[in-house]
């Protein structure tokens, strides 16, 4: 092992762990290749070899070459250190947003983009707490229990991707958010009792926001329009919508008005069958007290 690799290991730990490679065929690959080519131009302008740059920023020569060839997504600290060593005055560090977006799986990026554009989001969840309501600890527990098992790095990436979607709460104007949760999702101790307690406390905090409507579907309901599974409806400012029902239309997202009408009708009935917002908050407080 050469000195540069030793430095990389000492400074950054497991810098070459899986999960930061560019997925073959991903449409974001050209953007990462562009970032890599820009980094190479900056390095050559500074008259540094890949090994020299790697030594100065705490990465091995092989990692530098992978990044420059667009085969590896550069970490934020990689870009920050390169910016400092190459005296780019913030021009390299400015690429952190692009690199950060590339970290997440394609389907997560697509979902986050839709959520970022939506003026209204309606959701019904029957297995776990919706991602936009999850705490990091709850999300970590969900990713950890996945089968086949995720690697530790996949768990970290999954949690970070899910938490990044929470930026939706910072939007102005804020989108209208409607959540309906099955009672069982509030009682199942995902991650343990303390994780569940913090999750319930977080639910109560989010449910107080003016643009958030939160309802609970009690288990003892004799009539339930949501027996076909989870529902998602996203409505956009231009009047278009996209919806998905777990066991309808092959579970695929649909935008056809006739199909959307079926999903929205079902969601509307579920809202009337669930506890109202005041009752729902009281219910969550009761479950919290019992946990």
């Amino acid at each position: 092992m050469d000195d540069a690799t030793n430095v990389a290991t000492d400074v950054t730990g497991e810098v070459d762990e899986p999960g930061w490679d560019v997925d073959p065929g991903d449409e974001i690959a050209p953007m990462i290749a562009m970032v890599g080519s820009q980094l190479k131009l900056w390095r050559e302008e500074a008259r540094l070899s890949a090994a020299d740059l790697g030594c100065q920023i705490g990465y091995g020569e092989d990692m530098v070459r992978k990044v420059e060839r667009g085969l590896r997504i550069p970490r934020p600290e990689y870009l920050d250190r390169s910016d400092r060593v190459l005296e780019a005055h913030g021009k390299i560090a400015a690429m952190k947003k692009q690199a950060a977006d590339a970290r997440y799986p394609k389907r997560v990026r697509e979902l986050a983009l839709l959520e970022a554009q939506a003026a209204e989001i309606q959701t019904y969840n029957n297995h776990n707490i919706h991602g936009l309501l999850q705490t990091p600890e709850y999300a970590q527990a969900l990713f950890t229990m996945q089968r086949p098992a995720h690697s530790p790095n996949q768990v970290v990436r999954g949690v970070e991707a899910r938490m990044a979607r929470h930026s939706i709460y910072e939007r102005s104007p804020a989108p209208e958010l409607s959540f309906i949760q099955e009672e069982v999702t509030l009682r199942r101790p995902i991650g343990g009792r303390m994780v569940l307690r913090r999750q319930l406390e977080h639910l109560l905090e989010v449910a107080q926001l003016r643009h958030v409507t939160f309802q609970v579907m009690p288990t003892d309901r004799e009539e339930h329009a949501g027996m076909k599974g989870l529902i998602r409806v996203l409505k956009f400012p231009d009047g278009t919508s996209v919806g998905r029902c777990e066991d309808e239309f092959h579970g695929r997202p649909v935008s056809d008005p006739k199909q959307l009408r079926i999903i929205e009708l079902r969601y509307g009935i579920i809202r009337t069958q669930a506890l109202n917002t005041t009752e729902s908050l009281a219910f969550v407080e009761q479950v919290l007290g019992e946990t």
Side-chain angles (χ1 to χ4, degrees), residues 83-257:
D83 191 281
R84 183 172 61 253
V85 170
L86 300 175
E87 299 182 354
H89 306 292
K91 294 183 177 65
I92 292 177
M95 294 188 283
K96 286 191 290 186
K97 175 64 168 63
Q98 295 168 301
D101 288 345
R103 292 182 54 198
Y104 308 134
K106 178 180 178 181
R107 60 182 179 79
V108 175
R109 293 198 307 269
E110 292 173 342
L111 176 59
L113 178 61
L114 287 174
E115 290 176 342
Q117 296 173 340
E120 183 178 353
I121 299 176
Q122 301 173 332
T123 75
Y124 160 67
N125 271 53
N126 56 352
H127 293 306
N128 51 59
I129 305 295
H130 189 274
L132 292 177
L133 296 172
Q134 292 175 12
T135 63
E137 297 80 10
Y138 185 93
Q140 180 177 351
L142 284 176
F143 281 109
T144 300
M145 68 178 63
Q146 289 283 341
R147 293 294 183 273
H150 287 340
S151 70
N153 190 63
Q154 287 175 314
V155 172
V156 171
R157 288 184 68 191
V159 173
E160 291 181 349
R162 186 155 295 176
M163 293 304 105
R165 288 167 51 202
H166 289 199
S167 62
I168 193 172
Y169 293 107
E170 301 169 6
R171 278 177 46 193
S172 181
E176 291 295 319
L177 304 176
S178 172
F179 301 98
I180 305 175
Q181 290 286 155
E182 279 291 332
E183 175 183 340
V184 66
T185 66
L186 308 178
R187 295 188 179 278
R188 182 173 290 128
I190 300 294
R193 295 290 175 184
M194 292 308 298
V195 170
L196 178 59
R197 281 191 60 84
R198 176 59 192 130
Q199 177 63 69
L200 295 175
E201 291 169 349
H202 181 66
L203 277 180
L204 291 173
E205 294 170 6
V206 175
Q208 301 295 332
L209 298 175
R210 291 179 58 84
H211 62 288
V212 173
T213 301
F214 180 81
Q215 293 178 260
V216 176
M217 173 63 80
T219 302
D220 64 3
R221 286 292 193 259
E222 295 182 4
E223 294 287 333
H224 192 336
M227 299 308 291
K228 286 198 172 184
L230 66 83
I231 291 176
R232 302 281 185 276
V233 178
L234 288 83
K235 300 182 179 182
F236 305 102
D238 63 0
T240 61
S241 301
V242 61
R244 176 176 175 253
C245 182
E246 191 172 34
D247 195 28
E248 194 76 71
F249 312 118
H250 306 288
R252 299 170 182 166
V254 298
S255 56
D256 178 83

Side-chain angles (χ1 to χ4, degrees), residues 57-93:
I57 66 175
Y59 285 82
E61 177 184 357
D62 183 58
M63 178 65 71
V64 173
R65 294 196 182 281
K66 283 182 178 179
V67 168
E68 291 181 352
R69 287 157 53 200
L71 301 177
R72 194 75 170 174
I73 302 169
R75 288 173 171 269
E77 60 267 24
Y78 183 105
L79 296 174
D80 282 333
R81 293 171 188 172
S82 295
D83 191 281
R84 183 172 61 253
V85 170
L86 300 175
E87 299 182 354
H89 306 292
K91 294 183 177 65
I92 292 177

